[in-house]
Amino acid sequence: MQPAIGLGRVVAVTNLEEFFRGALRGVLADQHVAVDGQTEHYVVNMLTLFARAERLYESTPDGPSLKPLVQMFSDALEAATVAERDAALQRVGDVSLFMAGFFMRSFARRLVDVDYHIAMGGQAYGTLALSLERGRSRGPAQVFAELAAKFQPLVDALGQISDAAYVYTQRDILRLYEVWLKTGSVRARRLLRRLGVEAAPVALRTH
């Protein structure tokens, strides 16, 4: 039995995969986002895998760590074989989606922002989809193509799962507004409205 977050409290779940499947379906329906069943299955498996920290982080002499995305993407493009490149691109996309969805609030304290993760993850999945199409792996190619095309809505979906037990501060509200301006996140705008803030874009000054 493992703990999971839901409805403002910690609840116990006996099957983490089923928890993520139910949560993902619920938030995708709430956000009016449709994905293919294979794509849903892929995201659920990725969430279940990364729920174990040792599968998300890499072991280093200094402890668990994540390479910067740009280094991960560069390593993928310089891989010795197509299989190694595709596996590395998949990891870039997976890590970007997971981090942008579940740890969006933490980016406020970092140099690299959530929109960077969205751009890098979408590009990695899109490049992988093209590679698999050339290799005639059409089923997986379609999954990664959909992940690339719907990366932002999926980030919003994972963010909504993460939001279930979070209490927002004034700083968080400002952060949500910044995220909405940068990414056009539907989730961010909905949360702002729920928190009593009507999000309106800042008018650009003309000289």
Side-chain angles (χ1 to χ4, degrees), residues 170-201:
Q170 289 298 316
R171 179 178 294 181
D172 292 323
I173 293 173
L174 291 174
R175 175 61 179 156
L176 279 170
Y177 192 83
E178 180 185 10
V179 167
W180 179 72
L181 288 176
K182 284 188 172 185
T183 69
S185 165
V186 174
R187 165 184 160 269
R189 188 168 191 176
R190 281 186 174 187
L191 278 172
L192 286 167
R193 284 179 172 174
R194 193 180 305 166
L195 294 166
V197 178
E198 183 59 41

Side-chain angles (χ1 to χ4, degrees), residues 1-6 9-14 16 19-20 51:
M1 185 174 294
Q2 301 187 49
I5 299 299
R9 65 187 187 280
V10 177
V11 297
V13 295
T14 57
L16 198 55
F19 167 77
F20 281 129

Side-chain angles (χ1 to χ4, degrees), residues 139-160:
Q142 291 174 350
V143 169
F144 290 112
E146 184 169 36
L147 288 169
K150 298 179 180 178
F151 200 92
Q152 172 66 70
L154 285 168
V155 166
D156 279 353
L158 302 192
Q160 187 169 329

Side-chain angles (χ1 to χ4, degrees), residues 5 17 19-31 33 35 39-51 56 92-105 107 114 117-118 125 147 150-166 168 185-188 191:
I5 299 299
E17 182 178 346
F19 167 77
F20 281 129
R21 180 175 290 109
L24 182 63
R25 285 179 179 175
V27 296
L28 289 176
D30 183 57
Q31 296 182 13
V33 176
V35 298
T39 304
E40 177 195 285
H41 183 69
Y42 181 88
V43 175
V44 168
N45 283 346
M46 183 267 291
L47 295 178
T48 305
L49 182 72
F50 284 170
L56 174 63
V92 173
D94 291 350
V95 170
S96 298
L97 180 58
F98 187 81
M99 296 299 290
F102 279 95
F103 297 100
M104 181 183 292
R105 288 180 292 272
F107 290 119
V114 64
H117 278 68
I118 291 170
Y125 279 148
L147 288 169
K150 298 179 180 178
F151 200 92
Q152 172 66 70
L154 285 168
V155 166
D156 279 353
L158 302 192
Q160 187 169 329
I161 295 172
S162 174
D163 286 334
Y166 190 79
Y168 283 85
S185 165
V186 174
R187 165 184 160 269
L191 278 172

